[in-house]
Amino acid sequence: MPKYVYPAIFDPNELGGYTVTFPDLPGCVTEGDNLEEALKMASEAMALHLYGMEQDGDEIPTPSNPAEVQIPDDTSSGAFVTLIQARTEPIHDEMKNRAVKKTLTIPKWLNDAAEKEGINFSQVLQYALKEQLGFIDKRS
C-alpha cells in the first residue's frame, strides 16, 4: 500500500492549539493542543480516513498542489498549509489481527474436561482453524 501525502490546513486557535483540515479529503478533520500534537493527529486522522476509503472502495483523490491550496476566509490569520504523510498498512495490519469474539457450542462434558485441564479455548480453536485451513502442516 502506498504512502499518501496530502496538503493540510492548520488553523491556530487562541489557546495555542490547531484545527487541521484536508481540502482533498472532505470530512477529515482533527485537532491538537499544540503544533507537535496537531501534526501527529493529522497523520493519524488522514491514515484512518484513507483506510476507510480503501475499505469502501472509494476512489482516492489526487492530492492538490500545496502551492495552489486556498486558505478559507473564515480561518485565523496565522493559518498555513503543510504536507502530511501517512500510510494505511499499520491500520490494515491492526484490523486484520484484532480479536473477534465468537460464540460456540460444545457438549458440557467436553467443556468440563477441558476446564479441568486448564485448556485455553481460544488458543485451541485458533490452532485447529489454522490446521484445518492449511496454515499449519499436519505432518509436523
Side-chain angles (χ1 to χ4, degrees):
M1 298 197 192
K3 172 177 66 173
Y4 295 105
V5 179
Y6 281 89
I9 298 172
F10 282 66
D11 186 14
N13 65 37
E14 62 279 351
L15 300 175
Y18 293 84
T19 300
V20 184
T21 56
F22 294 84
D24 299 313
L25 304 171
C28 185
V29 179
T30 190
E31 61 185 10
D33 292 336
N34 54 50
L35 184 56
E36 182 179 346
E37 184 177 285
L39 286 163
K40 179 178 182 262
M41 296 300 291
S43 180
E44 288 179 11
M46 189 176 88
L48 287 167
H49 189 86
L50 290 165
Y51 169 79
M53 291 180 74
E54 290 171 352
Q55 293 303 295
D56 293 344
D58 295 340
E59 184 176 334
I60 304 297
T62 301
S64 297
N65 179 338
E68 297 174 1
V69 172
Q70 298 293 315
I71 295 176
D73 293 335
D74 62 346
T75 57
S76 306
S77 62
F80 63 93
V81 176
T82 192
L83 292 173
I84 299 296
Q85 80 172 17
R87 294 182 182 273
T88 56
E89 295 102 332
I91 299 167
H92 281 275
D93 292 345
E94 184 177 330
M95 297 305 286
K96 184 171 64 173
N97 291 309
R98 77 177 197 267
V100 177
K101 186 173 177 86
K102 300 304 268 180
T103 303
L104 61 109
T105 306
I106 59 174
K108 183 177 179 349
W109 68 266
L110 186 56
N111 180 70
D112 293 345
E115 284 183 349
K116 183 177 179 183
E117 294 296 319
I119 292 176
N120 180 320
F121 288 81
S122 293
Q123 200 172 46
V124 170
L125 179 57
Q126 286 181 49
Y127 182 85
L129 287 170
K130 289 175 185 175
E131 185 178 57
Q132 184 69 32
L133 293 170
F135 297 130
I136 296 174
D137 187 0
K138 296 176 186 180
R139 295 171 289 173
S140 307

